[in-house]
Amino acid sequence: MRVYLPGTIGMLRRLVAEGKLQPLGGTGFALTPALRESYVSGDTEELEYAALLDAARASLRLIGDDEKEVARRVVISVDVDNATPRPDLDAAVVKLSGPIVLDDVAAVHVDTEEAEDAVRAAAAVIDAADLGDLDAEFALGEAEDHELAWYAPQELPFLLDLL
């Protein structure tokens, strides 16, 4: 199953350095039966993209207001067999039973430098946006207007060297 894990640049550094990473709370996002049922239409690619965007939004929570963390959303796409759907949490949520290893990584999606200000602002107000604050929702939308760049796993050391 393809699973999209929310992350941070710091988490990517640990993944590259240690060769494995324990997703926070074991939480990821995937095209689950519940996600498929929640959409009237959409092919597999479109629904997987929806799960990826859920993971990108979740990465904002990991960045939070940590000034040391590079303000870029990170989504780590992995192919694993140990994902269990958790529709009680949300339609796309899955739980992983253990760490992922670098060999599980299919791709990594990361914001570009141009998104950093918008991402930092959105990370600071993500909870308020969830509670319906219109200004916070606008800030979140500003961050989500930035497309994530795609990187192959073997490009990660070079990407991290540039940051």
Side-chain angles (χ1 to χ4, degrees):
M1 169 183 275
R2 174 68 48 96
V3 176
Y4 303 96
L5 303 173
T8 64
I9 296 298
M11 291 171 73
L12 281 183
R13 289 188 194 285
R14 281 194 305 278
L15 175 61
V16 169
E18 299 171 11
K20 65 181 179 177
L21 178 71
Q22 177 62 48
L24 188 63
T27 300
F29 299 84
L31 173 49
T32 64
L35 181 64
R36 188 174 297 281
E37 289 174 16
S38 69
Y39 280 83
V40 174
S41 67
D43 62 18
T44 298
E45 187 174 317
E46 291 170 321
L47 297 175
E48 284 184 341
Y49 186 67
L52 183 146
L53 292 178
D54 284 348
R57 183 173 280 202
S59 74
L60 291 170
R61 295 185 191 292
L62 300 177
I63 296 167
D65 57 5
D66 183 355
E67 291 296 324
K68 296 178 202 168
E69 186 62 69
V70 178
R72 297 192 190 186
R73 295 171 299 160
V74 171
V75 176
I76 305 165
S77 300
V78 297
D79 292 318
V80 295
D81 295 326
N82 63 341
T84 304
R86 288 295 309 270
D88 55 312
L89 298 175
D90 203 346
V93 174
V94 296
K95 291 291 185 172
L96 301 180
S97 60
I100 55 116
V101 296
L102 197 50
D103 287 343
D104 294 335
V105 177
V108 175
H109 311 269
V110 180
D111 274 312
T112 60
E113 184 177 2
E114 293 80 25
E116 285 185 16
D117 290 340
V119 168
R120 176 75 61 209
V125 298
I126 183 72
D127 290 333
D130 284 347
L131 295 173
D133 181 298
L134 295 179
D135 290 333
E137 287 179 18
F138 180 78
L140 183 60
E142 290 287 311
E144 291 178 340
D145 283 345
H146 293 273
E147 289 290 325
L148 299 169
W150 179 93
Y151 297 92
Q154 60 270 27
E155 295 176 301
L156 287 179
F158 305 108
L159 168 65
L160 295 172
D161 283 345
L162 294 174
L163 298 175

